[in-house]
Amino acid sequence: MNERTRMLDKYSSRVYKNRKDHVIQIENAPSGQEITANTRTVPGIITNRGCCYAGCKGVVVGPMKDCLVITHGPIGCGFYTWGTRRNKAASEKGGQNYIPYCFSTDMQEPDIVFGGEKKLEKAISEAMEIFKPECIMICSTCPIGLIGDDVHAVARRTEEKYGIKCIGFSCEGYKGVSQSAGHHIANNGLMKYIIGTGDKRPKAKHSINILGEYNIGGDGWEEERVLKRIGYEIVTIFTGDGSYETMKNAHLADLNLVMCHRSINYVAEMMKTKYGTDWLKVNFVGIGATIQSLRDMAKYFNDPELTERTEEVIQDELAAIFDEVEYYKSKLKGKKAGVFAGGSRSHHYQALLRDFGVETIIAGYEFAHRDDYEGREVIPTIKEDADSKNIENLTIEPDPEKYSPKFTESEIEALRRDIPLDNYAGMIREMKDGYVVIDDFNHAETEMLIKLMKPDIFLSGIKDKYIIQKGGTPSRQMHSYDYSGPYAGFKGAVNFARDVAMAIYTNAWAFVVPPWKTQSTLVGTVGGD
Ligand code: CFN
Ligand code: HCA
């Protein structure tokens, strides 16, 4: 019996029937195996998933700093999404930043019985009086759809009354099977009401938008730093540290980069259809992946000056982290990891782990779709060189003809990765025989698989992290980096390796014997003694 079968064997036949297609054990790698994903969780199973409202408000529209986002519903949902996700944002000079606030209509029972539109309008008038925002967004929680409040009508009335932008989102928590439905609803709103309404043209020769970068732990800022060094102008970022003010002009950028494919591919596809903007799937998590992404971008623009500058910056950034990368490689090489996050990070972190010689033996997503697991050929029409994907040429070797080499031959050899990277391959195709891929991983399965496969580290989320860690397997949180970061780009890679090494080498819980292993858990007194 392999690990997959041993784990599934514990289920009743009904649950087994559902779960068996969500778990695969790799055979004949690189594997073309298929997986079932994006379906309803079996009721009663403790899933890590969130809801549609979380995907719309918490993930996509929440990070837009100059938009005042009102949660229409009882206070719990607004409160839960108040600052728990670490999408950092910095105020523009003289600009608005509502990220630290939690706005909610705080609906009570009478509002549920008699309707909440009046309360919502009152909340909007209060918000206008105090903050005078340029844009208000209304996000619906479960009761709103059930009682039939029309947030879209309120949004239209708000626009007429105050002359501002106001967008309603019908993102009730119960819609869809996870956060994913909320991403889709949010994307439609941004496309319909914001993108294309501005006219500020970019000035630089090459301009881009970054889609699906939410600036968790400052990742977006680290990416921006490198991209600006190369000379790119970033028109807008969807939506980490993002803004209504800049998103209006998104259609004027030359190229869309898609970082988190899961949450925002809808916008990329719609912009391609409506404005003809090409999009390129990138991954700035991982040294090799970042280099590939930068080279793919240069290749897209097909400008010798840009290509040269790209290579210069790559060399310079690598030189700055070289010693630390070597040190952490010596600490981490040969370790094995489990990676489980929402919809795109698990695959991104596979690449970063690989940079340090760590193999991913268990991987999965909460709510990804099949294309996120199985990979898909996603490449725009590359100007003048349509069929090359530039994936066979992915070493990080400097061209000695052009640059005075900063690395010795042996250093370059050390930097070269074992497996050639491919940002488009997908999770399943990058895993070796015997490794496990799992969709909508639940708590029981997490515990079982960790026991069976014994990873040295398990990268996970808020809800599952502590069980894993206290069970003796070190864990790092991939959604907010346990308040560390940034983990993206060149410098971020070193931060990540440091945190992973720290977790593995100071695994305190592994040395603690739980009391139930040495003494009876039945405590009580008999006969009044
Ligand atoms: S920042 Fe992103 S990268 S947007 Fe998405 S699919 Fe969530 S909030 Mo948590 S960390 Fe996670 Fe991804 Fe895209 Fe974050 S893996 S679950 S909905 N996600
Ligand atoms: C969300 C946000 C979340 C939650 C993280 C977790 C985040 O989907 O509601 O539960 O581990 O990144 O903050 O994914």
Side-chain angles (χ1 to χ4, degrees):
M1 252 202 263
N2 64 15
E3 285 81 359
R4 171 185 173 274
T5 321
R6 283 166 72 187
M7 185 188 80
L8 292 172
D9 209 36
K10 301 266 186 298
Y11 281 132
S12 68
S13 61
R14 216 188 100 235
V15 178
Y16 174 84
K17 212 167 143 215
N18 175 289
R19 289 299 297 154
K20 70 177 176 24
D21 299 328
H22 294 266
V23 189
I24 59 171
Q25 193 143 10
I26 302 293
E27 285 164 24
N28 302 325
S31 160
Q33 281 158 283
E34 295 180 350
I35 195 164
T36 298
N38 193 32
T39 63
R40 202 160 81 103
T41 304
V42 179
I45 277 186
I46 304 178
T47 171
N48 289 304
R49 282 175 165 178
C51 67
C52 177
Y53 160 82
C56 180
K57 194 272 173 185
V59 173
V60 179
V61 304
M64 293 184 65
K65 58 191 171 190
D66 57 357
C67 298
L68 192 148
V69 183
I70 301 180
T71 296
H72 187 33
I75 195 63
C77 306
F79 185 79
Y80 184 70
T81 49
W82 180 24
T84 44
R85 185 161 175 266
R86 267 182 87 223
N87 44 260
K88 292 184 165 211
S91 314
E92 302 296 335
K93 208 161 173 257
Q96 295 155 317
N97 184 357
Y98 301 116
I99 299 294
Y101 292 90
C102 171
F103 302 101
S104 172
T105 47
D106 183 19
M107 283 174 87
Q108 305 290 321
E109 276 168 36
D111 308 314
I112 304 286
V113 177
F114 299 109
E117 283 181 31
K118 285 210 165 57
K119 199 165 190 191
L120 176 60
E121 274 170 320
K122 196 155 169 277
I124 290 170
S125 104
E126 208 178 307
M128 286 308 297
E129 221 170 87
I130 302 171
F131 296 101
K132 302 179 184 61
E134 298 275 313
C135 177
I136 291 182
M137 292 176 170
I138 307 160
C139 290
S140 308
T141 61
C142 292
I144 305 311
L146 299 174
I147 65 173
D149 274 6
D150 188 347
V151 295
H152 307 282
V154 174
R156 281 194 301 275
R157 290 202 288 275
T158 303
E159 291 199 334
E160 278 160 28
K161 189 165 171 191
Y162 302 105
I164 62 159
K165 178 70 72 186
C166 186
I167 309 170
F169 293 94
S170 291
C171 55
E172 287 82 354
Y174 56 77
K175 286 197 174 152
V177 299
S178 68
Q179 291 95 315
S180 187
H183 302 150
H184 205 151
I185 290 166
N187 282 200
N188 285 342
L190 300 181
M191 187 67 196
K192 194 161 167 196
Y193 299 109
I194 301 183
I195 298 162
T197 58
D199 55 11
K200 197 171 157 213
R201 291 202 168 270
K203 292 193 184 77
K205 196 169 168 197
H206 306 299
S207 62
I208 51 169
N209 300 313
I210 311 181
L211 276 62
E213 173 48 66
Y214 300 93
N215 203 27
I216 305 298
D219 277 353
W221 290 332
E222 181 54 18
E223 290 157 25
E224 249 182 294
R225 183 185 70 76
V226 175
L227 292 167
K228 281 185 178 161
R229 278 194 74 188
I230 296 174
Y232 290 107
E233 178 172 344
I234 301 163
V235 175
T236 193
I237 301 191
F238 292 62
T239 53
D241 196 26
S243 68
Y244 166 65
E245 223 19 72
T246 56
M247 192 179 283
K248 292 195 285 197
N249 307 312
H251 62 301
L252 300 171
D254 297 327
L255 176 69
N256 279 333
L257 304 182
V258 179
M259 174 73 185
C260 167
H261 172 261
R262 182 64 275 130
S263 62
I264 207 119
N265 59 349
Y266 317 101
V267 166
E269 297 274 11
M270 287 187 283
M271 283 181 73
K272 172 79 186 156
T273 310
K274 189 163 173 190
Y275 303 107
T277 317
D278 285 333
W279 62 279
L280 184 65
K281 197 171 174 181
V282 293
N283 175 17
F284 293 119
V285 172
I287 303 168
T290 302
I291 293 169
Q292 184 191 345
S293 300
L294 295 175
R295 286 185 175 161
D296 282 351
M297 290 169 67
K299 179 127 187 149
Y300 173 81
F301 284 109
N302 196 23
D303 168 354
E305 223 175 280
L306 182 77
T307 307
E308 188 164 331
R309 182 67 191 143
T310 301
E311 293 302 326
E312 263 169 27
V313 170
I314 290 173
Q315 281 305 305
D316 203 42
E317 292 287 334
L318 280 178
I321 61 169
F322 184 80
D323 290 345
E324 283 178 290
V325 170
E326 284 306 292
Y327 173 73
Y328 288 117
K329 250 188 182 173
S330 75
K331 291 272 166 205
L332 297 174
K333 202 170 169 54
K335 303 282 182 204
K336 307 222 177 297
V339 190
F340 182 73
S344 77
R345 278 166 193 263
S346 310
H347 182 225
H348 287 167
Y349 280 89
Q350 255 178 305
L352 180 47
L353 287 162
R354 194 184 295 135
D355 286 334
F356 292 92
V358 182
E359 271 193 40
T360 302
I361 60 169
I362 311 169
Y365 298 118
E366 285 173 34
F367 51 76
H369 299 199
R370 273 185 59 187
D371 51 335
D372 302 303
Y373 287 102
E374 292 164 15
R376 165 169 101 123
E377 299 300 310
V378 182
I379 199 93
T381 354
I382 295 199
K383 285 174 187 163
E384 294 180 26
D385 190 6
D387 7 65
S388 169
K389 282 200 298 170
N390 193 25
I391 52 171
E392 51 305 318
N393 189 19
L394 288 171
T395 61
I396 43 184
E397 193 172 3
D399 181 349
E401 299 293 314
K402 268 193 202 148
Y403 315 108
S404 53
K406 296 186 177 87
F407 305 121
T408 64
E409 277 305 310
S410 64
E411 283 169 338
I412 292 162
E413 195 52 47
L415 270 171
R416 218 187 289 247
R417 288 173 312 281
D418 302 333
I419 312 169
L421 245 197
D422 176 353
N423 279 340
Y424 316 101
M427 175 187 280
I428 293 176
R429 277 196 251 162
E430 287 174 33
M431 294 185 83
K432 292 188 184 159
D433 285 352
Y435 295 173
V436 173
V437 176
I438 188 157
D439 172 65
D440 189 13
F441 212 2
N442 60 56
H443 283 205
E445 290 169 1
T446 306
E447 284 185 55
M448 286 192 272
L449 260 197
I450 285 178
K451 270 196 196 122
L452 290 168
M453 304 205 39
K454 300 185 182 50
D456 298 293
I457 180 119
F458 196 90
L459 308 177
S460 66
I462 298 166
K463 299 158 202 135
D464 43 349
K465 174 190 160 103
Y466 296 98
I467 309 165
I468 299 165
Q469 197 152 296
K470 290 181 183 175
T473 304
S475 174
R476 291 295 301 177
Q477 223 250 84
M478 277 304 97
H479 300 255
S480 56
Y481 307 157
D482 292 305
Y483 300 91
S484 181
Y487 283 169
F490 298 97
K491 292 193 173 159
V494 174
N495 292 338
F496 173 78
R498 181 200 59 216
D499 290 348
V500 169
M502 216 155 59
I504 291 179
Y505 286 93
T506 53
N507 186 18
W509 285 99
F511 301 106
V512 176
V513 180
W516 59 86
K517 290 226 165 135
T518 53
Q519 49 194 294
S520 165
T521 49
L522 295 172
V523 184
T525 50
V526 181
D529 283 338

